[in-house]
Amino acid sequence: MHELPLTRELVLIGGGHSHALILKRWGMKPLPGVRVTVINPGAVAAYSGMLPGFVAGHYQREELELDLVRLARFAGARVLLGRATGIDRDARLVHVEGHPPIRYDYASIDIGITSAMPDLDGFSEFGVPAKPLERFATRWDAFQTAARQGEVLPHMAVIGGGVAGAELAAAMAHRLGDLPQIEITLIDRGEILSEMRAPTRHRLLKTLADLRVTLRPQAEVARVEADRVRFSDGSALDSFFTLGTAGARPYDWLADTGLDLHDGFVTVGPTLQSSDPRIFAAGDCAHLGFDPRPKAGVYAVREAPVLFDNLRACLSEGPGVRLRPYKPQKDYLKLISLGGQSALADKAGLVTSGPLMWRWKDRIDRKFMQKLKELTPMTPPALPAQVAEGLREEVEDKKPMCGACGAKVGGDILSRVLRDQPGVERRDVLHLAGDDAALLTHGDTWQVASVDHLRAFVEDPVLMTRITAIHALGDVWAMGASPQAALMTVTLPKMSAALQEGWLAEIMQAARDVFTEEGAEIIGGHTAMGSEFSVGFTVTGLLDQPITLKGARPGDRLILTKPLGTGVMLAAEMEMKASGRDMEAAYASMVQSSGEAARILGNAHAMTDVTGFGLAGHLLGICRASEVGAVLRLDDVPLLPGALEQSMTGMRSTIYTANRAYTAEYQGPEGALADLLFDPQTAGGLLACLSPMRAEKCVTALRAAGYEAALIGEITKGPVRLTIDA
């Protein structure tokens, strides 16, 4: 989080090579007062230089992935997982699919290109574009696995006979070359590799021939189908994996920005500014109008230092800002993979190939990735020599305090404090000990009321608001109520008036979207400025008959509607030890509404939402109120991707120790898997007790509704205790 007031917004649209390098540089040399946002459809971006090696089987998937979530954490930036769809230059807003518009003072575009061919009949449905790289890598991984298992014939076609098509065809042929029925065809409407120098073309054609890749030049593709490619002359070719590499297409939304374009690509000058000086562009989506160059990753990498310096200069105070010019090299070393661990090197007319060139290319690629993967979090300053008694024990050898439910006060402390508070007897207020929400009566109508407030654990206030809203509504759903209304409290970090307005607009839109979807209304709230961003909601709901903790019966089955692990994953992300892909899954789980789950579980005997005290703590809350025991089948408890692996390393949320102390009735094994029972959950799932017959039907319905629900145990007769079924 930011220590100094924020006054400027920098938005990086796309997670290309230039922007990845900028995030690394920004983390090492931030500009105080600037909030950085990076927008990308997914948590990772693939490095193009290693893609042929991945296709050929020389690299694992994670080796070519740039983790934008980790890079953003290192840079102190917010990462927004969504697809940019446009720019309103007059209002200085970036439009993002499924997200309120993002305000910017300066923006940079590095979204790459696409190999999609929307004009080719059937390609959008059955074809696979080589770019964006992440999507292609996923589809290829699935196809080659299926081909090896005999589930599909290894018949493949590559549309586009340029260097990229030839390189990927060679890699595919190498990867599946040991399969007896392999057929791979490289197709082009003109000549294959026509843009290459004669010596380079000759060696590449020989490599393709050695790998038994069939060439089909002067061929016009008419249609792509699920199992074949049809040509304009009426012939057809069997293909169960049709890859498109034909040319580099810009993304369509750039045409609506009003920026000067060249064939759809953003035209930039020597400073990498577009026709709008507040918008920069780099990488393949940019056209160097002052000195045109072909599309190649080497330019994006070398543009990054200039782009970084120029963005900082524009965002800085002071007169006479001078921007650096980018001077592209006239020629560059081309290192082309040849399928196996061999490569071809081409520069200035000199061509050589062999294993030595592969080792050279591999070294360059790994060095580039190492630069972006070796991220060391900043260490807090050392304590002074003289401090208050007990301070060193609280600070030293302890990790930074978690956000979300990991920052809650322990259950044992809360129990002692609340136990000693005098209550006022009222007929219209019923608050049963430990229940999720208070019950209020209005004549014959029941109303529930609850409150939740969370410290920010992500830089994106929209994501934080959505998670907090779902988290707060969990108390309403757990009581079997329908959401009615909400009061909102927001504390903004120190920032300028313009940023306050932008942040609040995003936050309010996000909150309104969640509560409107659930049939509730935001009826007011309160805002303040503070040292860090936090958000909370006081929520109410209406119901006919409340579901409380005091209703579980021996023989009831236990249903959990969401996987565990948000606490340990958030703790790992804070230390930059969680993968972005795993965090993407964790965020998706946290923003998943439990409204439909609550309706499906409407006949539960007892129910709660699993939040700060962990599954064990909340289940024991049911046991204590109902005076029963419970048995859990540990192996049946669903977990978030990466949660068990993080737990095995010793990763724990701040409140973990307090949660263990709060569950004295636990009788079970120790170890990484069992420790996740005490992991605090943010916006966790519902835990419900139902009769055996009803439970089976509910799990089926929950899974059909998109929940990762599971039967995880059963209620037993007292005494109150939680045991594990080995």
Side-chain angles (χ1 to χ4, degrees):
M1 299 299 171
H2 304 274
E3 296 181 2
L4 296 173
L6 297 172
T7 60
R8 292 291 181 268
E9 296 265 16
L10 169 62
V11 177
L12 305 177
I13 307 170
H17 301 355
S18 294
H19 284 176
L21 288 166
I22 282 178
L23 288 172
K24 175 65 181 288
R25 285 172 173 259
W26 202 276
M28 298 170 66
K29 188 181 178 183
L31 180 61
V34 177
R35 197 267 292 266
V36 179
T37 297
V38 58
I39 303 169
N40 198 65
V44 299
Y47 171 50
S48 58
M50 298 174 78
L51 184 65
F54 162 74
V55 173
H58 307 316
Y59 301 119
Q60 297 299 310
R61 175 71 180 269
E62 58 271 15
E63 291 183 275
L64 76 152
E65 290 182 338
L66 298 169
D67 194 324
L68 296 176
V69 174
R70 292 186 69 241
L71 278 167
R73 168 65 75 172
F74 178 77
R78 72 163 165 171
V79 59
L80 198 162
L81 303 181
R83 192 177 301 279
T85 59
I87 300 176
D88 181 342
R89 290 166 48 211
D90 292 332
R92 295 218 299 265
L93 295 174
V94 179
H95 292 280
V96 184
E97 197 172 64
H99 195 284
I102 305 298
R103 181 188 175 277
Y104 70 89
D105 290 293
Y106 284 88
S108 177
I109 308 172
D110 184 16
I111 56 175
I113 55 178
T114 176
S115 300
M117 293 180 275
D119 299 331
L120 177 57
D121 190 18
F123 186 84
S124 59
E125 184 177 1
F126 301 112
V128 181
K131 291 187 177 183
L133 302 177
E134 315 84 72
R135 192 181 309 167
F136 164 55
T138 298
R139 295 282 293 274
W140 168 252
D141 213 13
F143 174 78
Q144 64 92 14
T145 300
R148 291 209 167 276
Q149 294 174 350
E151 298 170 3
V152 63
L153 287 172
H155 294 176
M156 298 156 280
V158 179
I159 303 174
V163 174
E167 196 173 20
L168 289 171
M172 294 159 70
H174 174 81
R175 183 72 179 93
L176 298 178
D178 58 329
L179 299 182
Q181 294 179 291
I182 184 172
E183 294 180 9
I184 182 165
T185 304
L186 182 60
I187 305 164
D188 198 275
R189 65 176 58 185
E191 291 298 325
I192 305 294
L193 295 169
S194 59
E195 77 277 21
M196 303 301 297
R197 299 184 181 101
T200 304
R201 182 172 186 267
H202 175 75
R203 295 200 188 188
L204 284 175
L205 290 176
K206 183 179 185 307
T207 296
L208 294 172
D210 292 343
L211 290 167
R212 295 176 296 160
V213 175
T214 301
L215 306 184
R216 190 155 179 170
Q218 309 294 336
E220 188 76 32
V221 177
R223 176 174 172 78
V224 175
E225 299 177 358
D227 55 357
R228 62 180 52 86
V229 174
R230 295 192 181 275
F231 297 91
S232 57
D233 62 6
S235 62
L237 173 73
D238 287 348
S239 175
F240 297 94
F241 188 87
T242 302
L243 176 65
T245 68
R249 290 177 56 91
Y251 284 94
D252 292 339
W253 66 265
L254 292 174
D256 299 323
T257 61
L259 298 171
D260 289 349
L261 305 178
H262 176 82
D263 292 335
F265 300 98
V266 180
T267 301
V268 298
T271 60
L272 302 179
Q273 287 169 296
S274 70
S275 55
D276 183 336
R278 289 186 175 271
I279 299 177
F280 291 70
D284 286 348
C285 71
H287 168 68
L288 304 179
F290 62 98
D291 195 357
R293 286 288 179 269
K295 304 301 180 187
V298 64
Y299 295 114
V301 171
R302 298 201 179 183
E303 286 164 357
V306 175
L307 182 61
F308 174 78
D309 288 345
N310 288 350
L311 287 170
R312 283 179 61 93
C314 288
L315 290 160
S316 300
E317 63 179 357
V321 172
R322 300 182 63 182
L323 304 184
R324 286 178 57 192
Y326 168 61
K327 299 177 182 178
Q329 63 269 42
K330 295 298 180 183
D331 196 8
Y332 65 95
L333 174 66
K334 303 174 186 69
L335 288 168
I336 303 169
S337 296
L338 300 177
Q341 291 190 349
S342 179
L344 180 150
D346 177 357
K347 186 175 183 182
L350 299 176
V351 180
T352 185
S353 60
L356 181 61
M357 296 301 101
W358 163 262
R359 289 195 291 272
W360 189 10
K361 173 177 169 55
D362 178 63
R363 182 180 178 183
I364 292 172
D365 289 339
R366 289 186 183 277
K367 184 178 180 180
F368 175 78
M369 292 300 287
Q370 184 180 25
K371 182 189 305 183
L372 292 171
K373 288 191 173 188
E374 288 187 351
L375 306 174
T376 304
M378 299 295 289
T379 56
L383 290 174
Q386 189 172 13
V387 296
E389 183 180 0
L391 178 62
R392 294 192 187 280
E393 289 74 11
E394 287 295 321
V395 174
E396 291 183 349
D397 300 325
K398 290 190 177 181
K399 299 175 181 178
M401 186 175 71
C402 296
C405 277
K408 290 184 69 170
V409 175
D412 53 344
I413 296 174
L414 285 175
S415 295
R416 290 195 298 270
V417 171
L418 295 176
R419 183 181 58 225
D420 297 334
Q421 298 301 310
V424 178
E425 293 292 335
R426 289 179 59 105
R427 284 179 160 186
D428 56 349
V429 178
L430 177 62
H431 190 182
L432 302 176
D435 266 320
D436 296 283
L439 286 168
L440 313 176
T441 61
H442 302 278
D444 296 332
T445 302
W446 288 95
Q447 184 183 46
V448 297
S450 184
V451 62
D452 264 301
H453 196 99
L454 299 179
R455 289 178 60 242
F457 53 84
V458 291
E459 288 282 349
D460 181 14
V462 169
L463 178 59
M464 191 65 223
T465 299
R466 287 174 175 163
I467 291 172
T468 307
I470 294 297
H471 182 78
L473 285 169
D475 292 337
V476 173
W477 288 319
M479 299 288 285
S482 298
Q484 177 195 23
L487 291 167
M488 185 176 184
T489 57
V490 177
T491 301
L492 293 177
K494 294 169 287 185
M495 61 180 64
S496 66
L499 266 68
Q500 290 177 40
E501 184 175 351
W503 277 51
L504 283 174
E506 291 184 39
I507 291 165
M508 286 303 300
Q509 183 63 56
R512 193 176 296 113
D513 288 345
V514 173
F515 283 98
T516 300
E517 180 70 21
E518 301 304 329
E521 185 175 351
I522 298 177
I523 58 175
H526 178 76
T527 60
M529 301 292 288
S531 59
E532 62 181 0
F533 173 58
S534 64
V535 61
F537 296 94
T538 300
V539 293
T540 64
L542 300 175
L543 73 165
D544 295 325
Q545 185 63 40
I547 303 174
T548 68
L549 302 183
K550 191 177 181 181
R553 308 169 188 174
D556 278 352
R557 300 298 189 260
L558 292 168
I559 294 178
L560 181 63
T561 64
K562 286 188 183 183
L564 299 183
T566 61
V568 71
M569 293 308 300
L570 290 174
E573 194 276 331
M574 187 168 59
E575 296 187 32
M576 295 189 295
K577 294 180 179 178
S579 81
R581 197 180 297 281
D582 289 345
M583 290 311 303
E584 189 173 12
Y587 296 143
S589 179
M590 285 185 273
V591 298
Q592 184 183 28
S593 166
S594 289
E596 182 61 22
R599 289 185 281 275
I600 292 171
L601 298 170
N603 292 326
H605 297 152
M607 188 158 64
T608 186
D609 61 331
V610 180
T611 53
F613 302 144
L615 176 60
H618 287 283
L619 177 53
L620 278 168
I622 290 178
C623 293
R624 291 165 187 148
S626 301
E627 298 181 346
V628 295
V631 174
L632 276 184
R633 294 185 299 275
L634 198 55
D635 291 339
D636 292 341
V637 176
L639 302 176
L640 286 169
L644 181 57
E645 291 77 5
Q646 293 293 344
S647 184
M648 291 173 69
T649 68
M651 185 65 63
R652 300 290 183 268
S653 184
T654 307
I655 199 177
Y656 167 83
T657 302
N659 281 352
R660 289 301 301 250
Y662 185 54
T663 51
E665 302 96 334
Y666 171 76
Q667 298 178 6
E670 303 296 326
L673 182 57
D675 285 347
L676 290 172
L677 298 178
F678 309 93
D679 187 55
Q681 304 303 291
T682 301
L686 297 175
L687 176 65
C689 306
L690 297 100
S691 65
M693 184 178 298
R694 179 68 180 158
E696 294 283 354
K697 294 179 179 178
C698 283
V699 168
T700 300
L702 287 164
R703 290 175 178 170
Y707 295 96
E708 194 177 335
L711 285 166
I712 61 170
E714 64 182 41
I715 296 296
T716 62
K717 293 181 180 180
V720 174
R721 64 185 175 190
L722 171 58
T723 58
I724 302 299
D725 184 355

